[in-house]
Amino acid sequence: MGDADTTDPGATAQFLDRIRGDLAASRRLRLGALAVARGLVTQAQLDETPALAPLEETLVARGWLRPSQLEELLEDLDGLRRRGDPGAPRYEVGAKLGEGAVSVVHRGTDRELGRPVALKFLKDSLLAHGKVRERFHREAQSLARMDHPHVVRVHDVGRVDGRLALVMELVEGEPFGRTARPLREAVALLEQAARGVHHAHEKGVVHRDLKPDNILVGRDGAAKVADFGLAHLAESGPALTHTGSVLGTPMYMAPEQVRGRHEITPRTDVYALGAILYQVLTGRPPHEAQSVSEVYDKILRDDPVPPRKLVPTLPWELDAVALRALEKDPARRYPSAFAFAEELRRFLAGEAVEARPVSTLARAWRRAARNPLRIALVVALFVAAGFALDSRARARRGELAARAGDFLESARTHLERGALDAARDLVEQALATAPDLPLAHLRRGEVWEAGGFTAQAEACFRRAAELDPRPGPAHYRLGRVLLRRAYLASINMWTAEDPAERDEAERLAREGAAHLETAAGFEDEVRREIAAAMLAWLRRDLPGARRICAEGIRKFGSRDGVEELHWLDGLSRSKPAEEIPCYDAALALRPRFALALYSRAWALPRVGKSGDADFDAAILAAPGFAEPYIFRGSHRLVKGDAAGARADFDTLIGMGVHLAPAHNGRAGVRLKLDRDWDGAIADATEAIRRKPEGYHIPWMYRAEAKLMKGDAEGAIADATRALEILKGKDGGQTPYAIRGRARAARGDRAGALEDLRKSGPAGAPFLKELEGAQK
Amino acid sequence: MGQLETTLGGNREAFPETVWSSLLGAAGPATPEREAALNDLALVYWRPVYKFIRTAGKATIEDAKDLTQEFFGYLVEGDVLSRYDRTQARFRTFLKGVLRNFLSVERRDAGRLKRGGGKVVVSLDVQSLETAEFLAERGRSSPEQVFDRQWAAEVLAESLAELRRQLGAEDRAANLKVYEAWNGIDGAGEAPTYASIGRAFGLSEQQVKDHLAYARERLEKIIRDRLARRVTSACELSDEIRDLLAG
């Protein structure tokens, strides 16, 4: 330690901070990777950990790791490293696992992280081509960005034993379709795979070669899609595409793929998913033939035999879903793998699927459409029947809606990740395409709501419910937003004094209840429970609400949405000590749950703790959520933090919401901290103008400011008004003190004494002075 | 804090003896080991202690220097260190508590006799500490925060110096330069990228990443070794690393 005393010239505080940040970031990454490699957490869990909190704490706080596991992990993080032998290769190549047309796969070990990996080497014949090598690197980089529980993860790309290799997650298991499975189980696996495929689409990668062999089923029973982008890679090689041999079977290929590759879109993969579903249902691919060229021919020309013709016992829903995914025209297929996955989910959950059995007439029309010579005839027939214009207009609308649907689905995934700006852009694009699409308005509202902008969200949900008045999510969302307003109104202090606002809260609650009732019976079961619990809460049936929450929590564990049940459970309790654990549970599931943060911030002071941190967190989580600013501003005012308090009230004024309390708060800052009497009078006047009844504080502030300016008359009038509003309730001491001082200033000694005697400690010094002077 | 310690603190019996073991036992005669241990303690902690004192009260620079000297004398002469219970708190936390307590007692006995003078051999050159940043920091932070930040800066700075020494001796100066460039800011005031550093040093991006990974790994090891010499349990070590990096 002899050098500790010499000041290091390179080690400025700033430089040290950067070094520290750099080390912390790299350690965090390695710790996370190690935890995932050990199977202690999933990558998805890791991704939702807050970046600012220490990862160690989050892992334990969420209950993912026991402290002892964390301890082991931390020791291994330091112990496993390549100590003293930094030159040793990172990956050890093990036994060969399999071989495809393009690549050879080996088992391997990542020494640095101590985890097994799969090493996929491109075949040497391909590597001879510089273009392939370059592409390999580029593809690998986009693959490494993919990160989904149902996509085989690509960790790294580089040279292993001198050969170019992809370092991938090792899936111990077997390809989909090797083992016969019950239908529902196979459909569930295909749903997972479709979600993985959708994730890739979002990252701009189309698989192009989906087939049962590329869907791996791990020992944990989860499906993972492999080999993204490799088909693409092979195509860039020398004249491999046309032989058909490199890509293996063409059975799952979409028509546009057969025709040429410029039309490849995510819907090409939707077709392949449909083909795999077809195979699951019927035991054979949709088109079979003796030669490759014959298969191509069939893919282009023939409609697949409906699965129910082959297996009459199949549920009609799956038949319809498969045929819709296998539509020859990409625009008629599901717009995305996500939509396909949702259909399978709906089928599994016993909900109605969107696909409809296609009628014989429609089939005839479409066959004709593929054959221009026959179109004229069919159109003529339809015109005679008065159909054609209508059906074409509908088709056009359907196409636009499908395109808007793509935007909206993408928006939804962004929304789920909290990328609000991206989600908003996509929603606006969808609205530009289809301005009256109810789903677009619904999603726009969801984006606003996620940012805490409730008023805007409410308007959007109303529009969506107007456009589509049938029971559905718009009513649920609208009911929920109204509930939120009713809840906020019920705890806002400036409301409690005003019967008009209390009535408004009641009205909101009733309207919210009506919408929730309309919404009932839609969407998934968790939402239904939430709606039921909210209804009970809105009707002040607190025991009922608690019972529903408890049941839902027990039934659904940590499924998406259960955090709202925990929150409602907390709202339905009357003792803060019981409320807080509910909010804790909600926040453990969704740390950025602004309303739960806000509710906890209210409960904490009632058990003698500070809620300030939760107000801060609520503001961070939902910057458009106005209420926390009011309370944080007020706390800052009480603590004497003028700049902070003013910033909060200015934010509210800038947002144009809660203007009465905002101007009132700023009046307080100007009066108490700035001693700017004119400013205080201006703000208090504005607060009074916006809310002349039921809110005494701005009157009181203005009275005091007028008194300080020497306007005793004005001060007396305002203080009198404040006292009238209070009607003898608590809080009158300060107005009495102000009026007493104003009366004294005007020479009304008797009146002053009367007021000051009622003013408690607030007026005590003045009372003493006045009584002294009297003697 | 504490979560790890309270649940796991007891089961790490085999943790190696540390530099300070001789200090943490019962008060004893002034053996050479004890003297050396105290010196080591003072070397690591005198700046944090000094800054704590300057932040906690209105002590002038000269007063704070005296109080710092006296504090270390107080540590070695009294039996205060023997009261440290490693299952209850980290040593650093304990030390801050002792310091708080020492200051309140010292203020009360403003006219007390100086103790421990001459025992501490560190020369307190405080000029480098009395910077404008520190004066600003004093207004914003509690003495405990100032103390912790200085401690972290101390450990980092000496580890960095050691990294420079080691890499220099191993003829790996390029590694070091890349690492320093990555954490510095280039002339244009822009945060460096792998590409910009690669261009500056004639390396590929992958080589830059490899260099960075290597330097980080070495630096972490140095930090760990340094911290390990002065903690009393493996979990305390984990916690100290975490604190150090948490900023």
Side-chain angles (χ1 to χ4, degrees), chain A residues 1 4-5 8 15 18-20 22-24 26-27 30 56-57 71 75 78 81 86, chain B residues 12 46-47 152 158 160 164 179 182-183 185 214 216-217 220 224 229-230 242 244-245 247:
Chain A
M1 239 24 49
D5 233 39
D8 189 337
F15 184 62
R18 287 212 193 86
I19 297 266
R20 175 146 62 151
D22 182 62
L23 282 178
S26 103
R27 186 178 168 83
R30 282 185 289 111
E56 293 94 321
E57 280 170 24
E71 167 91 353
E75 284 185 2
D78 299 330
R81 305 165 55 75
Chain B
R12 296 282 156 188
W46 83 258
R47 288 188 190 85
E158 64 174 41
L160 204 57
R164 290 197 172 112
Y179 187 61
W182 174 249
N183 289 295
I185 284 191
Y214 184 80
R216 279 186 197 119
E217 191 175 312
E220 262 200 68
R224 239 182 359 254
R229 291 176 53 192
R230 294 158 181 156
R242 190 195 317 180
L244 181 82
L245 296 183

Tab-separated table of all heavy atoms in Angstrom, chain A residues 1 4-5 8 15 18-20 22-24 26-27 30 56-57 71 75 78 81 86, chain B residues 12 46-47 152 158 160 164 179 182-183 185 214 216-217 220 224 229-230 242 244-245 247:
chain	number	residue	atom	x	y	z
A	1	MET	N	0.828	-1.214	0.000
A	1	MET	CA	0.000	0.000	0.000
A	1	MET	C	0.854	1.252	0.000
A	1	MET	O	0.400	2.319	0.289
A	1	MET	CB	-0.828	-0.001	1.278
A	1	MET	CG	-2.297	0.022	1.196
A	1	MET	SD	-3.187	-0.554	-0.195
A	1	MET	CE	-2.524	-2.136	-0.576
A	4	ALA	N	-0.198	4.420	-1.823
A	4	ALA	CA	-1.510	5.008	-1.589
A	4	ALA	C	-1.423	6.510	-1.359
A	4	ALA	O	-2.383	7.223	-1.568
A	4	ALA	CB	-2.168	4.349	-0.394
A	5	ASP	N	-0.249	6.941	-0.914
A	5	ASP	CA	-0.144	8.349	-0.577
A	5	ASP	C	0.218	9.232	-1.774
A	5	ASP	O	0.041	10.428	-1.731
A	5	ASP	CB	0.895	8.533	0.532
A	5	ASP	CG	0.300	9.298	1.679
A	5	ASP	OD1	-0.883	9.054	1.995
A	5	ASP	OD2	1.007	10.149	2.230
A	8	ASP	N	-2.253	10.107	-7.851
A	8	ASP	CA	-2.127	9.627	-9.215
A	8	ASP	C	-2.633	10.697	-10.177
A	8	ASP	O	-3.794	11.049	-10.140
A	8	ASP	CB	-2.957	8.347	-9.349
A	8	ASP	CG	-2.700	7.677	-10.684
A	8	ASP	OD1	-2.268	8.373	-11.623
A	8	ASP	OD2	-2.927	6.473	-10.758
A	15	PHE	N	-12.555	10.783	-14.027
A	15	PHE	CA	-12.016	9.582	-14.646
A	15	PHE	C	-12.358	8.356	-13.792
A	15	PHE	O	-12.787	7.320	-14.299
A	15	PHE	CB	-10.510	9.748	-14.797
A	15	PHE	CG	-9.842	8.616	-15.512
A	15	PHE	CD1	-10.171	8.314	-16.818
A	15	PHE	CD2	-8.886	7.848	-14.879
A	15	PHE	CE1	-9.562	7.254	-17.484
A	15	PHE	CE2	-8.265	6.805	-15.535
A	15	PHE	CZ	-8.604	6.509	-16.837
A	18	ARG	N	-15.850	7.239	-14.282
A	18	ARG	CA	-16.095	6.489	-15.516
A	18	ARG	C	-15.621	5.062	-15.384
A	18	ARG	O	-16.283	4.125	-15.781
A	18	ARG	CB	-15.377	7.149	-16.683
A	18	ARG	CG	-16.053	8.396	-17.082
A	18	ARG	CD	-15.911	8.633	-18.569
A	18	ARG	NE	-16.318	9.991	-18.805
A	18	ARG	CZ	-15.490	11.015	-18.697
A	18	ARG	NH1	-14.213	10.803	-18.438
A	18	ARG	NH2	-15.930	12.226	-18.865
A	19	ILE	N	-14.418	4.914	-14.792
A	19	ILE	CA	-13.887	3.567	-14.600
A	19	ILE	C	-14.870	2.751	-13.772
A	19	ILE	O	-15.161	1.599	-14.068
A	19	ILE	CB	-12.536	3.650	-13.840
A	19	ILE	CG1	-11.523	4.395	-14.680
A	19	ILE	CG2	-12.067	2.282	-13.434
A	19	ILE	CD1	-10.657	3.543	-15.520
A	20	ARG	N	-15.403	3.401	-12.769
A	20	ARG	CA	-16.301	2.697	-11.871
A	20	ARG	C	-17.583	2.295	-12.600
A	20	ARG	O	-18.053	1.164	-12.499
A	20	ARG	CB	-16.629	3.597	-10.686
A	20	ARG	CG	-17.633	3.007	-9.757
A	20	ARG	CD	-17.351	3.415	-8.364
A	20	ARG	NE	-17.447	4.856	-8.213
A	20	ARG	CZ	-17.793	5.442	-7.076
A	20	ARG	NH1	-18.046	4.717	-6.033
A	20	ARG	NH2	-17.858	6.731	-6.990
A	22	ASP	N	-17.935	1.827	-15.748
A	22	ASP	CA	-17.588	0.803	-16.724
A	22	ASP	C	-17.486	-0.564	-16.058
A	22	ASP	O	-18.040	-1.550	-16.529
A	22	ASP	CB	-16.253	1.191	-17.374
A	22	ASP	CG	-15.827	0.201	-18.434
A	22	ASP	OD1	-16.570	0.075	-19.410
A	22	ASP	OD2	-14.780	-0.436	-18.278
A	23	LEU	N	-16.811	-0.609	-14.919
A	23	LEU	CA	-16.671	-1.879	-14.204
A	23	LEU	C	-18.031	-2.389	-13.755
A	23	LEU	O	-18.338	-3.571	-13.866
A	23	LEU	CB	-15.785	-1.705	-12.968
A	23	LEU	CG	-14.286	-1.656	-13.220
A	23	LEU	CD1	-13.555	-1.442	-11.913
A	23	LEU	CD2	-13.810	-2.947	-13.860
A	24	ALA	N	-18.849	-1.463	-13.242
A	24	ALA	CA	-20.156	-1.880	-12.740
A	24	ALA	C	-20.992	-2.455	-13.866
A	24	ALA	O	-21.624	-3.487	-13.716
A	24	ALA	CB	-20.875	-0.692	-12.101
A	26	SER	N	-19.983	-3.824	-16.668
A	26	SER	CA	-19.503	-5.110	-17.160
A	26	SER	C	-19.777	-6.211	-16.127
A	26	SER	O	-20.142	-7.323	-16.475
A	26	SER	CB	-18.016	-5.022	-17.519
A	26	SER	OG	-17.213	-5.618	-16.542
A	27	ARG	N	-19.660	-5.866	-14.867
A	27	ARG	CA	-19.939	-6.867	-13.845
A	27	ARG	C	-21.407	-7.259	-13.871
A	27	ARG	O	-21.776	-8.424	-13.762
A	27	ARG	CB	-19.580	-6.301	-12.467
A	27	ARG	CG	-19.701	-7.310	-11.355
A	27	ARG	CD	-19.275	-6.690	-10.044
A	27	ARG	NE	-19.624	-7.524	-8.922
A	27	ARG	CZ	-18.895	-8.539	-8.513
A	27	ARG	NH1	-17.790	-8.834	-9.130
A	27	ARG	NH2	-19.272	-9.269	-7.488
A	30	ARG	N	-22.067	-9.594	-16.698
A	30	ARG	CA	-21.558	-10.952	-16.467
A	30	ARG	C	-22.384	-11.681	-15.418
A	30	ARG	O	-22.659	-12.868	-15.544
A	30	ARG	CB	-20.080	-10.908	-16.084
A	30	ARG	CG	-19.194	-10.700	-17.303
A	30	ARG	CD	-17.736	-10.760	-16.980
A	30	ARG	NE	-17.301	-9.604	-16.237
A	30	ARG	CZ	-16.916	-9.621	-14.973
A	30	ARG	NH1	-16.901	-10.746	-14.312
A	30	ARG	NH2	-16.549	-8.518	-14.383
A	56	GLU	N	-27.948	-7.319	-8.032
A	56	GLU	CA	-27.986	-8.285	-6.940
A	56	GLU	C	-29.248	-8.108	-6.106
A	56	GLU	O	-29.929	-9.063	-5.765
A	56	GLU	CB	-26.777	-8.121	-6.001
A	56	GLU	CG	-25.442	-8.462	-6.615
A	56	GLU	CD	-24.748	-7.239	-7.171
A	56	GLU	OE1	-25.458	-6.377	-7.744
A	56	GLU	OE2	-23.526	-7.129	-7.032
A	57	GLU	N	-29.522	-6.844	-5.791
A	57	GLU	CA	-30.671	-6.574	-4.928
A	57	GLU	C	-31.966	-6.941	-5.623
A	57	GLU	O	-32.866	-7.522	-5.031
A	57	GLU	CB	-30.695	-5.103	-4.506
A	57	GLU	CG	-29.730	-4.841	-3.369
A	57	GLU	CD	-29.565	-3.359	-3.096
A	57	GLU	OE1	-30.483	-2.586	-3.441
A	57	GLU	OE2	-28.515	-2.995	-2.535
A	71	GLU	N	-25.145	-15.479	-3.255
A	71	GLU	CA	-23.804	-15.564	-2.696
A	71	GLU	C	-22.925	-16.490	-3.537
A	71	GLU	O	-21.811	-16.150	-3.915
A	71	GLU	CB	-23.935	-16.078	-1.263
A	71	GLU	CG	-22.648	-16.527	-0.642
A	71	GLU	CD	-21.972	-15.398	0.104
A	71	GLU	OE1	-22.468	-14.250	0.005
A	71	GLU	OE2	-20.997	-15.656	0.782
A	75	GLU	N	-19.627	-15.531	-5.863
A	75	GLU	CA	-18.311	-16.159	-5.693
A	75	GLU	C	-17.848	-16.771	-7.004
A	75	GLU	O	-16.688	-16.681	-7.373
A	75	GLU	CB	-18.373	-17.216	-4.593
A	75	GLU	CG	-18.389	-16.569	-3.224
A	75	GLU	CD	-18.326	-17.581	-2.120
A	75	GLU	OE1	-18.236	-18.785	-2.397
A	75	GLU	OE2	-18.377	-17.152	-0.958
A	78	ASP	N	-16.449	-14.443	-9.539
A	78	ASP	CA	-15.035	-14.154	-9.359
A	78	ASP	C	-14.172	-15.396	-9.520
A	78	ASP	O	-13.066	-15.336	-10.008
A	78	ASP	CB	-14.822	-13.537	-7.975
A	78	ASP	CG	-15.593	-12.239	-7.850
A	78	ASP	OD1	-15.767	-11.577	-8.867
A	78	ASP	OD2	-16.030	-11.913	-6.742
A	81	ARG	N	-13.451	-17.328	-13.386
A	81	ARG	CA	-12.808	-16.633	-14.475
A	81	ARG	C	-11.498	-17.299	-14.867
A	81	ARG	O	-10.965	-18.081	-14.123
A	81	ARG	CB	-12.614	-15.189	-14.063
A	81	ARG	CG	-13.953	-14.610	-13.655
A	81	ARG	CD	-13.770	-13.339	-12.905
A	81	ARG	NE	-12.985	-12.431	-13.695
A	81	ARG	CZ	-13.461	-11.782	-14.741
A	81	ARG	NH1	-14.696	-11.922	-15.063
A	81	ARG	NH2	-12.701	-10.990	-15.421
A	86	PRO	N	-5.154	-16.218	-19.495
A	86	PRO	CA	-6.043	-15.479	-20.386
A	86	PRO	C	-5.911	-15.910	-21.838
A	86	PRO	O	-6.757	-15.589	-22.644
A	86	PRO	CB	-5.625	-14.025	-20.197
A	86	PRO	CG	-4.268	-14.071	-19.597
A	86	PRO	CD	-4.094	-15.392	-18.936
B	12	ARG	N	-18.932	-18.442	7.400
B	12	ARG	CA	-17.708	-18.305	6.608
B	12	ARG	C	-16.499	-18.306	7.529
B	12	ARG	O	-15.671	-17.417	7.499
B	12	ARG	CB	-17.730	-17.015	5.795
B	12	ARG	CG	-18.822	-16.992	4.767
B	12	ARG	CD	-18.430	-17.819	3.561
B	12	ARG	NE	-19.631	-18.245	2.888
B	12	ARG	CZ	-19.665	-19.120	1.885
B	12	ARG	NH1	-18.547	-19.668	1.480
B	12	ARG	NH2	-20.776	-19.461	1.319
B	46	TRP	N	-7.520	7.527	6.188
B	46	TRP	CA	-7.373	8.879	6.730
B	46	TRP	C	-8.078	9.936	5.891
B	46	TRP	O	-8.689	10.852	6.414
B	46	TRP	CB	-5.903	9.227	7.036
B	46	TRP	CG	-5.061	9.713	5.876
B	46	TRP	CD1	-4.161	8.990	5.188
B	46	TRP	CD2	-5.020	11.040	5.336
B	46	TRP	NE1	-3.578	9.750	4.218
B	46	TRP	CE2	-4.078	11.028	4.284
B	46	TRP	CE3	-5.673	12.238	5.635
B	46	TRP	CZ2	-3.783	12.149	3.528
B	46	TRP	CZ3	-5.384	13.356	4.875
B	46	TRP	CH2	-4.438	13.308	3.826
B	47	ARG	N	-8.020	9.764	4.573
B	47	ARG	CA	-8.703	10.775	3.753
B	47	ARG	C	-10.217	10.742	3.950
B	47	ARG	O	-10.825	11.797	4.158
B	47	ARG	CB	-8.341	10.604	2.281
B	47	ARG	CG	-6.920	11.034	1.955
B	47	ARG	CD	-6.710	11.005	0.447
B	47	ARG	NE	-5.317	11.178	0.078
B	47	ARG	CZ	-4.439	10.205	0.014
B	47	ARG	NH1	-4.793	8.969	0.307
B	47	ARG	NH2	-3.196	10.438	-0.332
B	152	ALA	N	-14.241	4.863	-1.845
B	152	ALA	CA	-14.309	4.190	-3.143
B	152	ALA	C	-13.260	4.768	-4.090
B	152	ALA	O	-12.566	4.027	-4.794
B	152	ALA	CB	-15.706	4.339	-3.741
B	158	GLU	N	-5.929	3.585	-6.166
B	158	GLU	CA	-4.729	2.785	-5.907
B	158	GLU	C	-4.745	1.510	-6.744
B	158	GLU	O	-3.706	1.030	-7.165
B	158	GLU	CB	-4.546	2.498	-4.416
B	158	GLU	CG	-5.639	1.671	-3.807
B	158	GLU	CD	-5.337	1.296	-2.355
B	158	GLU	OE1	-4.835	2.170	-1.635
B	158	GLU	OE2	-5.615	0.151	-1.974
B	160	LEU	N	-6.033	1.287	-9.716
B	160	LEU	CA	-5.678	1.712	-11.065
B	160	LEU	C	-4.169	1.905	-11.193
B	160	LEU	O	-3.553	1.504	-12.188
B	160	LEU	CB	-6.408	3.023	-11.356
B	160	LEU	CG	-6.666	3.385	-12.796
B	160	LEU	CD1	-7.445	2.278	-13.489
B	160	LEU	CD2	-7.463	4.683	-12.856
B	164	ARG	N	-1.710	-0.077	-13.707
B	164	ARG	CA	-0.710	0.555	-14.587
B	164	ARG	C	0.644	-0.097	-14.383
B	164	ARG	O	1.355	-0.403	-15.328
B	164	ARG	CB	-0.604	2.041	-14.265
B	164	ARG	CG	-1.820	2.814	-14.681
B	164	ARG	CD	-1.527	4.303	-14.742
B	164	ARG	NE	-2.675	4.964	-15.337
B	164	ARG	CZ	-3.488	5.787	-14.677
B	164	ARG	NH1	-3.258	6.071	-13.412
B	164	ARG	NH2	-4.515	6.333	-15.277
B	179	TYR	N	-7.869	0.885	-22.596
B	179	TYR	CA	-8.804	0.964	-21.481
B	179	TYR	C	-8.989	2.407	-21.020
B	179	TYR	O	-10.102	2.869	-20.769
B	179	TYR	CB	-8.306	0.092	-20.331
B	179	TYR	CG	-9.302	-0.011	-19.205
B	179	TYR	CD1	-10.564	-0.551	-19.429
B	179	TYR	CD2	-8.988	0.426	-17.928
B	179	TYR	CE1	-11.491	-0.650	-18.418
B	179	TYR	CE2	-9.917	0.328	-16.901
B	179	TYR	CZ	-11.161	-0.214	-17.158
B	179	TYR	OH	-12.073	-0.302	-16.144
B	182	TRP	N	-11.021	4.308	-23.505
B	182	TRP	CA	-12.434	3.937	-23.449
B	182	TRP	C	-13.144	4.700	-22.332
B	182	TRP	O	-14.301	5.094	-22.467
B	182	TRP	CB	-12.535	2.440	-23.236
B	182	TRP	CG	-13.936	1.940	-23.016
B	182	TRP	CD1	-14.448	1.441	-21.866
B	182	TRP	CD2	-14.991	1.873	-23.979
B	182	TRP	NE1	-15.756	1.077	-22.040
B	182	TRP	CE2	-16.122	1.337	-23.335
B	182	TRP	CE3	-15.093	2.227	-25.331
B	182	TRP	CZ2	-17.338	1.136	-23.987
B	182	TRP	CZ3	-16.310	2.028	-25.974
B	182	TRP	CH2	-17.404	1.494	-25.311
B	183	ASN	N	-12.464	4.903	-21.246
B	183	ASN	CA	-13.098	5.576	-20.124
B	183	ASN	C	-12.820	7.075	-20.097
B	183	ASN	O	-13.250	7.764	-19.184
B	183	ASN	CB	-12.651	4.942	-18.805
B	183	ASN	CG	-13.256	3.570	-18.638
B	183	ASN	OD1	-14.461	3.444	-18.514
B	183	ASN	ND2	-12.429	2.543	-18.688
B	185	ILE	N	-12.408	10.796	-22.489
B	185	ILE	CA	-13.208	11.487	-23.495
B	185	ILE	C	-12.226	12.014	-24.512
B	185	ILE	O	-11.164	12.517	-24.144
B	185	ILE	CB	-14.012	12.629	-22.843
B	185	ILE	CG1	-15.198	12.030	-22.096
B	185	ILE	CG2	-14.455	13.646	-23.865
B	185	ILE	CD1	-16.206	13.024	-21.622
B	214	TYR	N	-9.911	-7.646	-21.095
B	214	TYR	CA	-8.727	-8.061	-20.343
B	214	TYR	C	-8.393	-7.064	-19.235
B	214	TYR	O	-8.166	-7.443	-18.080
B	214	TYR	CB	-7.538	-8.202	-21.309
B	214	TYR	CG	-6.298	-8.715	-20.630
B	214	TYR	CD1	-6.150	-10.069	-20.377
B	214	TYR	CD2	-5.285	-7.832	-20.222
B	214	TYR	CE1	-5.023	-10.540	-19.724
B	214	TYR	CE2	-4.152	-8.298	-19.577
B	214	TYR	CZ	-4.031	-9.660	-19.334
B	214	TYR	OH	-2.927	-10.114	-18.689
B	216	ARG	N	-10.345	-4.887	-17.780
B	216	ARG	CA	-11.375	-4.897	-16.730
B	216	ARG	C	-11.154	-6.056	-15.779
B	216	ARG	O	-11.258	-5.924	-14.570
B	216	ARG	CB	-12.747	-5.089	-17.358
B	216	ARG	CG	-13.340	-3.845	-17.924
B	216	ARG	CD	-14.757	-4.139	-18.389
B	216	ARG	NE	-15.206	-3.099	-19.281
B	216	ARG	CZ	-15.566	-3.285	-20.550
B	216	ARG	NH1	-15.565	-4.504	-21.058
B	216	ARG	NH2	-15.933	-2.268	-21.298
B	217	GLU	N	-10.844	-7.191	-16.390
B	217	GLU	CA	-10.682	-8.385	-15.586
B	217	GLU	C	-9.508	-8.215	-14.612
B	217	GLU	O	-9.604	-8.545	-13.433
B	217	GLU	CB	-10.435	-9.552	-16.532
B	217	GLU	CG	-10.500	-10.891	-15.908
B	217	GLU	CD	-10.349	-11.960	-16.987
B	217	GLU	OE1	-11.039	-11.848	-18.023
B	217	GLU	OE2	-9.520	-12.847	-16.804
B	220	GLU	N	-10.432	-5.667	-11.907
B	220	GLU	CA	-11.335	-6.239	-10.914
B	220	GLU	C	-10.596	-7.137	-9.945
B	220	GLU	O	-10.862	-7.141	-8.751
B	220	GLU	CB	-12.402	-7.070	-11.623
B	220	GLU	CG	-13.691	-6.324	-11.804
B	220	GLU	CD	-14.836	-7.291	-12.043
B	220	GLU	OE1	-15.200	-8.039	-11.119
B	220	GLU	OE2	-15.309	-7.291	-13.163
B	224	ARG	N	-10.365	-6.676	-6.003
B	224	ARG	CA	-10.809	-7.742	-5.103
B	224	ARG	C	-9.723	-8.102	-4.107
B	224	ARG	O	-9.961	-8.245	-2.920
B	224	ARG	CB	-11.176	-8.968	-5.927
B	224	ARG	CG	-12.589	-9.390	-5.732
B	224	ARG	CD	-12.961	-10.631	-6.499
B	224	ARG	NE	-11.960	-11.245	-7.317
B	224	ARG	CZ	-11.935	-11.191	-8.649
B	224	ARG	NH1	-12.862	-10.517	-9.269
B	224	ARG	NH2	-10.998	-11.797	-9.334
B	229	ARG	N	-7.998	-8.020	1.598
B	229	ARG	CA	-7.034	-7.909	2.697
B	229	ARG	C	-7.623	-7.198	3.899
B	229	ARG	O	-7.081	-7.255	4.994
B	229	ARG	CB	-5.804	-7.122	2.228
B	229	ARG	CG	-4.978	-7.871	1.221
B	229	ARG	CD	-3.845	-7.019	0.733
B	229	ARG	NE	-3.055	-6.481	1.854
B	229	ARG	CZ	-2.159	-5.523	1.704
B	229	ARG	NH1	-1.956	-4.996	0.521
B	229	ARG	NH2	-1.484	-5.084	2.742
B	230	ARG	N	-8.692	-6.479	3.684
B	230	ARG	CA	-9.170	-5.612	4.764
B	230	ARG	C	-10.602	-5.877	5.166
B	230	ARG	O	-11.251	-5.032	5.749
B	230	ARG	CB	-9.065	-4.156	4.330
B	230	ARG	CG	-7.652	-3.714	4.134
B	230	ARG	CD	-7.644	-2.532	3.244
B	230	ARG	NE	-6.291	-2.079	3.019
B	230	ARG	CZ	-5.937	-1.381	1.947
B	230	ARG	NH1	-6.843	-1.068	1.053
B	230	ARG	NH2	-4.704	-0.994	1.801
B	242	ARG	N	-19.715	-4.519	-4.211
B	242	ARG	CA	-20.973	-3.976	-4.710
B	242	ARG	C	-21.051	-2.478	-4.412
B	242	ARG	O	-21.401	-1.677	-5.263
B	242	ARG	CB	-22.126	-4.708	-4.043
B	242	ARG	CG	-23.427	-4.375	-4.692
B	242	ARG	CD	-24.588	-4.767	-3.862
B	242	ARG	NE	-24.452	-6.077	-3.245
B	242	ARG	CZ	-25.403	-6.573	-2.463
B	242	ARG	NH1	-26.495	-5.900	-2.226
B	242	ARG	NH2	-25.251	-7.750	-1.901
B	244	LEU	N	-18.643	-0.416	-3.834
B	244	LEU	CA	-17.634	0.318	-4.586
B	244	LEU	C	-18.121	0.617	-5.989
B	244	LEU	O	-17.941	1.711	-6.513
B	244	LEU	CB	-16.355	-0.528	-4.651
B	244	LEU	CG	-15.204	0.125	-5.394
B	244	LEU	CD1	-14.494	1.084	-4.475
B	244	LEU	CD2	-14.238	-0.902	-5.925
B	245	LEU	N	-18.788	-0.359	-6.596
B	245	LEU	CA	-19.205	-0.183	-7.974
B	245	LEU	C	-20.538	0.539	-8.087
B	245	LEU	O	-20.900	1.028	-9.137
B	245	LEU	CB	-19.286	-1.543	-8.678
B	245	LEU	CG	-17.946	-2.249	-8.803
B	245	LEU	CD1	-18.098	-3.544	-9.557
B	245	LEU	CD2	-16.914	-1.361	-9.478
B	247	GLY	N	-21.330	3.277	-6.831
B	247	GLY	CA	-21.175	4.734	-6.992
B	247	GLY	C	-22.067	5.465	-6.060
B	247	GLY	O	-22.624	6.462	-6.389
